[in-house]
Amino acid sequence: SAVISQKPSRDICQRGTSLTIQCQVDSQVTMMFWYRQQPGQSLTLIATANQGSEATYESGFVIDKFPISRPNLTFSTLTVSNMSPEDSSIYLCSVGQNYEQYFGPGTRLTVT
Amino acid sequence: AQTVTQSQPEMSVQEAETVTLSCTYDTSESDYYLFWYKQPPSRQMILVIRQEAYKQQNATENRFSVNFQKAAKSFSLKISDSQLGDAAMYFCAYRSPGSARQLTFGSGTQLTVLP
């Protein structure tokens, strides 16, 4: 199974600032996914990131707010821009491999 | 679009007993994958079990088994001999065919295991 790491594991940020979350996978994967989990809620897909192309965003999420980079087959970043308290969530990176999907440990973001 | 429904926000079970978590889904696809994930307080999402829709046999992983009813679009998880470490949020998830597709999650069921 894929091993996924995320940095930072948690952060407390001021409103109006931006935070970039890194996701590293121990093997090459075609697609990487970014999910958001708001407090006490389920996971919602933000976007799908392919290497070498623009990320595909789900309804309600836009590139200006959540820019994503995918420079190679093992790494991706998600930036949460111009943060507000409503962005306080856990952000999870995920990859699909061998018909299963694996998750990173998540980044807990608190915006004050 | 597919939807996944978990109608039990909370469940509790006595240690060593059996508990069943319910999940229903809606799809027009004939081939797909269903998953149960466990999320303990550490927030790490842990894959518990997977079921391919084309397989009639219910998946089993040690103390975890599913009851997959394709016609009814039902996918319940049975945990036998419950242990304190089973306490977590459990999410049912759906995925369309293909090896690299996103998951659609249910709202989750918080399982408490009573000593």
Side-chain angles (χ1 to χ4, degrees), chain B residues 95-107:
Chain B
R95 201 190 75 205
S96 295
S99 62
R101 301 293 180 96
Q102 68 267 29
L103 295 168
T104 300
F105 285 90
S107 55

Side-chain angles (χ1 to χ4, degrees), chain A residues 87-100:
Chain A
D87 294 320
S88 296
S89 296
I90 297 171
Y91 292 86
L92 298 108
C93 171
S94 175
V95 303
Q97 189 177 68
N98 298 328
Y99 299 97
E100 295 186 349

Side-chain angles (χ1 to χ4, degrees), chain A residues 1-7 22-29 32 73-76 93-98 100-106, chain B residues 44-45:
Chain A
S1 63
V3 176
I4 305 170
S5 59
Q6 284 185 237
K7 291 181 181 179
Q22 298 179 8
C23 176
Q24 180 76 51
V25 188
D26 69 342
S27 57
Q28 294 184 338
V29 293
M32 296 176 76
L73 292 173
T74 63
F75 187 79
S76 178
C93 171
S94 175
V95 303
Q97 189 177 68
N98 298 328
E100 295 186 349
Q101 198 155 77
Y102 302 96
F103 288 83
Chain B
Q44 175 73 55
M45 291 289 285

Side-chain angles (χ1 to χ4, degrees), chain A residues 26-67:
Chain A
D26 69 342
S27 57
Q28 294 184 338
V29 293
T30 304
M31 290 186 181
M32 296 176 76
F33 307 96
W34 287 98
Y35 290 85
R36 181 177 73 180
Q37 187 178 23
Q38 295 178 301
Q41 303 295 313
S42 186
L43 283 74
T44 301
L45 182 67
I46 297 171
T48 302
N50 288 328
Q51 192 263 337
S53 64
E54 291 281 338
T56 302
Y57 289 83
E58 298 299 303
S59 175
F61 298 96
V62 295
I63 188 171
D64 290 346
K65 175 68 176 177
F66 297 100

Side-chain angles (χ1 to χ4, degrees), chain A residues 4-17:
Chain A
I4 305 170
S5 59
Q6 284 185 237
K7 291 181 181 179
S9 60
R10 62 176 62 222
D11 208 342
I12 301 173
C13 300
Q14 301 264 350
R15 73 169 65 210
T17 63

